[in-house]
Amino acid sequence: MLVVGVDTGGTFTDVIVHAGEGEAGRFVAVKVPSTPDDPARAILEGLERLKDMGLPVPDRVVHGSTVATNAVLERKGAKTALVATRGFSDVIAIGRQNRTDLYDPAYRRAPCIVPDALRFEAPGRVLADKTRRESLSSDAARTIAARVAASGAESVAVCLLFSFLDPADERLLGRELAARGLAVSLSHEIMREFREFERTSTTAVNAYVSPLMSRYLTRLHGGLGKDAGLCVMQSSGGIITASTAMRQSVRTILSGPAGGVTAAMAVARLTGMDRLITFDMGGTSTDVALLDKSPVMTTETVVSGYPVTIPMIDIHTVGAGGGSLAAFDAAGALTVGPRSAGADPGPACYGRGEGLTVTDANLVLGRIVPELFLGGGMPLFPDRAMKLMTDMAALRGMDALELAEGIVAVAEAAMERAIRVISVERGHDPAEFALVCFGGAGGLHAVSLARSLGMRRVVVPPHPGLFSALGMLLADISRDFSATVMLEWDQASAEVIEARFSAMEERAGRELETEGAAPGDVELERSVDMRYRGQSFELNVPFCPDMVAAFNDLHEKTYGYKTPGRPVQCVTLRVRATARTDKPGLPRDDALPGQGLSPPVEGQRAIFHQGRHLSCALYARNRFVPGHAFAGPAVVAEDSATSYLPPGTSALVDALGNLVIDTGERP
């Protein structure tokens, strides 16, 4: 089976395929500018280029998409209505009554994605003990559906109180709304858990983005041809079919970045480095995540102010990428991002844009080689970047090179803060981890960031600019299922817990078969959200014989203390169902043919580093073989990315072709 991985970014779209069998095969990749007006166009162009290389039509395309994310961030989703239990239609607007900026007297909340005129209330009331105070009649459901249809809404979220215990009323409303041609999202299908605001928010976000995602995937599938299967990466790191992604698009919010983490896990397994921090710097943003034997998962993600309470990899994103625009603010301070030049017009050195970016700064500093950018397939205009840099620097009485270093420093400060969020603020010392960098711009900044964080090792994998797309080829089919039970652990019988888990696992098996998994070929992983009685939030604990002891230990690790003997509540049961896919082998050469040798030097580069002009070696990565070793300062150019090794660093190429850099940091 020929499988193609696709990652659509804000600046470039990456397409990669493994041709051949096992480790003897080879990866073929192309990188094309993204087309934000129609992301499918860039994907089809990339696939056409693969076809021109003699590769056949793929059997399956696994896609990491930004359509859902951008729809929420840019407020360009479908016109969405909400149907809630009588008295609860304003929950989505009231939220937790938190202020994003506590000390801003002029603070105003952004307009709600479901305006007041599109919020409808339904009679009927299920109570917390699953009993009914009031029933919803078929006539009432038809009346509400007619009112929603008359409002001009394109999509509707249905979120009734305690529907995760009894979804009958939601199903009734769903049938009536669907009969009127509306796209329908039912909360018990999206998130079968308590916390009314978070469940309403997650369901509304799904309703807001699903019509766009459905149209986009339908258009893309039509361009691929009827014989090619289409799958989409989830934020949790697993893949689902396009038809599932159309219905539950909220699961794809962090689709692209999850691909990079999935690929990093493969590198971790093969190298034995099980403690990694991933650093994915693309053209528009930087995504970071922590892997401690496995990715850290979360159900507390907030997207543009809206909680999205589904299991996903804990990825922290900042608006700092190669295309991030530099400017002076009203006080004269230099800012970089979050606005980006994107793919069009792109950085000034691309020849169209007038705004200076991090990419322009790296080019002016000599760290990017114009002749080798994207393998020489895309022309750059360094003179244009230098002129604009000089003009901007003159406004503040600076030198162009000084400004360029300032742009890099400001961008790196934002990225360093992002890494501290997922490490230091979670109780981890970054010095105990290796930094795995990828994305087209990751290798240009990784060593500097690692040094700032006290990290000794940086790993640049092969094809770093296409690493997230590679992750699409390495992902398994997976789905996550949950059910709030709210039980006192010491009062819950093992039979009750087992019965609830068994029901969830039966559902998981059925639904994974619809995703393409073979019957009986599904691995199930149980976990429980637990808390001390009286606490507001939970910790997720893998299922084991002594759950209370495991919870106490995890609580101590997370918060620094535990309280043995205090009553513990079992709040939500979770099941993760996984079906393994056939994956390409990553080429490796344990013979290390280049051991004791230095790679050939392509030439010398004039660079500017920390206020000094230096000469550094230029290397072409395609000439590296396992075992090669060299020292910085150096620039390593390859088709999809560029890496910069400052003075004081050393590097070797391991058996997998990873560039492993010693930053020179010592404890």
Side-chain angles (χ1 to χ4, degrees), residues 97-120:
Q97 301 187 49
N98 295 331
R99 292 165 61 101
T100 305
D101 194 340
L102 187 61
Y103 300 103
D104 181 4
Y107 171 77
R108 293 291 183 274
R109 296 185 64 178
C112 185
I113 59 173
V114 182
D116 181 68
L118 293 178
R119 299 176 206 153
F120 301 86

Side-chain angles (χ1 to χ4, degrees), residues 322-383:
S324 294
L325 289 162
F328 291 109
D329 66 14
L334 179 63
T335 64
V336 180
R339 287 199 313 121
S340 172
D344 186 13
C349 62
Y350 286 10
R352 297 187 301 275
E354 297 294 328
L356 286 170
T357 67
V358 177
T359 296
D360 296 303
N362 279 310
L363 181 62
V364 167
L365 294 171
R367 302 175 185 180
I368 292 177
V369 186
E371 301 79 21
L372 300 179
F373 190 72
L374 291 186
M378 182 173 178
L380 295 184
F381 302 90
D383 292 342

Side-chain angles (χ1 to χ4, degrees), residues 117-415:
L118 293 178
R119 299 176 206 153
F120 301 86
E121 297 187 346
R125 181 74 173 265
V126 176
L127 302 181
D129 61 0
K130 204 176 177 179
T131 61
R132 282 185 172 271
R133 173 182 294 176
E134 181 185 3
S135 296
L136 173 68
S137 67
S138 298
D139 288 343
R142 280 192 292 272
T143 299
I144 293 166
R147 289 175 58 207
V148 174
S151 72
E154 179 184 359
S155 183
V156 57
V158 181
C159 190
L160 304 182
L161 201 63
F162 295 109
S163 60
F164 58 90
L165 296 176
D166 182 356
D169 288 353
E170 282 197 353
R171 289 172 177 156
L172 173 59
L173 282 165
R175 290 192 295 271
E176 293 295 339
L177 290 161
R180 287 159 175 79
L182 292 162
V184 181
S185 296
L186 305 179
S187 74
H188 75 275
E189 294 179 349
I190 304 300
M191 177 191 166
R192 191 167 285 198
E193 300 176 31
F194 82 133
R195 290 199 172 96
E196 197 67 14
F197 169 52
E198 285 76 9
R199 186 159 53 90
T200 303
S201 172
T202 303
T203 307
V205 169
N206 189 77
Y208 189 67
V209 300
S210 286
L212 277 72
M213 195 71 165
S214 181
R215 288 193 291 267
Y216 165 67
L217 291 176
T218 299
R219 189 166 62 252
L220 176 58
H221 195 269
L224 294 175
K226 62 180 181 179
D227 295 329
L230 178 60
C231 294
V232 180
M233 176 68 87
Q234 299 178 88
S235 308
S236 62
I239 58 175
I240 50 178
T241 60
S243 60
T244 302
M246 292 178 190
R247 298 191 309 272
Q248 300 195 16
S249 303
V250 70
R251 297 186 181 276
T252 70
I253 289 288
L254 292 178
S255 178
V261 178
T262 301
M265 277 301 301
V267 170
R269 285 192 294 268
L270 293 170
T271 61
M273 294 184 288
D274 56 6
R275 306 194 81 195
L276 304 173
I277 292 175
T278 65
F279 168 56
D280 177 6
M281 183 178 177
T284 305
S285 63
T286 292
D287 307 300
V288 297
L290 185 140
L291 309 180
D292 192 355
K293 296 185 175 64
S294 62
V296 176
M297 304 296 289
T298 183
T299 57
E300 298 178 7
T301 299
V302 177
V303 180
S304 193
Y306 291 93
V308 175
T309 311
I310 58 171
M312 60 178 67
I313 298 172
D314 189 5
I315 297 172
H316 188 65
T317 302
V318 292
S324 294
L325 289 162
F328 291 109
D329 66 14
L334 179 63
T335 64
V336 180
R339 287 199 313 121
S340 172
D344 186 13
C349 62
Y350 286 10
R352 297 187 301 275
E354 297 294 328
L356 286 170
T357 67
V358 177
T359 296
D360 296 303
N362 279 310
L363 181 62
V364 167
L365 294 171
R367 302 175 185 180
I368 292 177
V369 186
E371 301 79 21
L372 300 179
F373 190 72
L374 291 186
M378 182 173 178
L380 295 184
F381 302 90
D383 292 342
R384 189 170 190 273
M386 177 59 83
K387 180 183 183 306
L388 290 171
M389 191 74 68
T390 301
D391 292 345
M392 183 175 176
L395 297 175
R396 292 294 183 271
M398 302 171 66
D399 175 81
L401 295 173
E402 186 182 8
L403 174 59
E405 282 209 315
I407 292 172
V408 169
V410 172
E412 288 180 350
M415 294 182 281

Side-chain angles (χ1 to χ4, degrees), residues 63-76:
H63 178 26
S65 170
T66 58
V67 170
T69 313
N70 292 342
V72 178
L73 295 178
E74 299 172 9
R75 293 293 194 269
K76 294 182 178 178

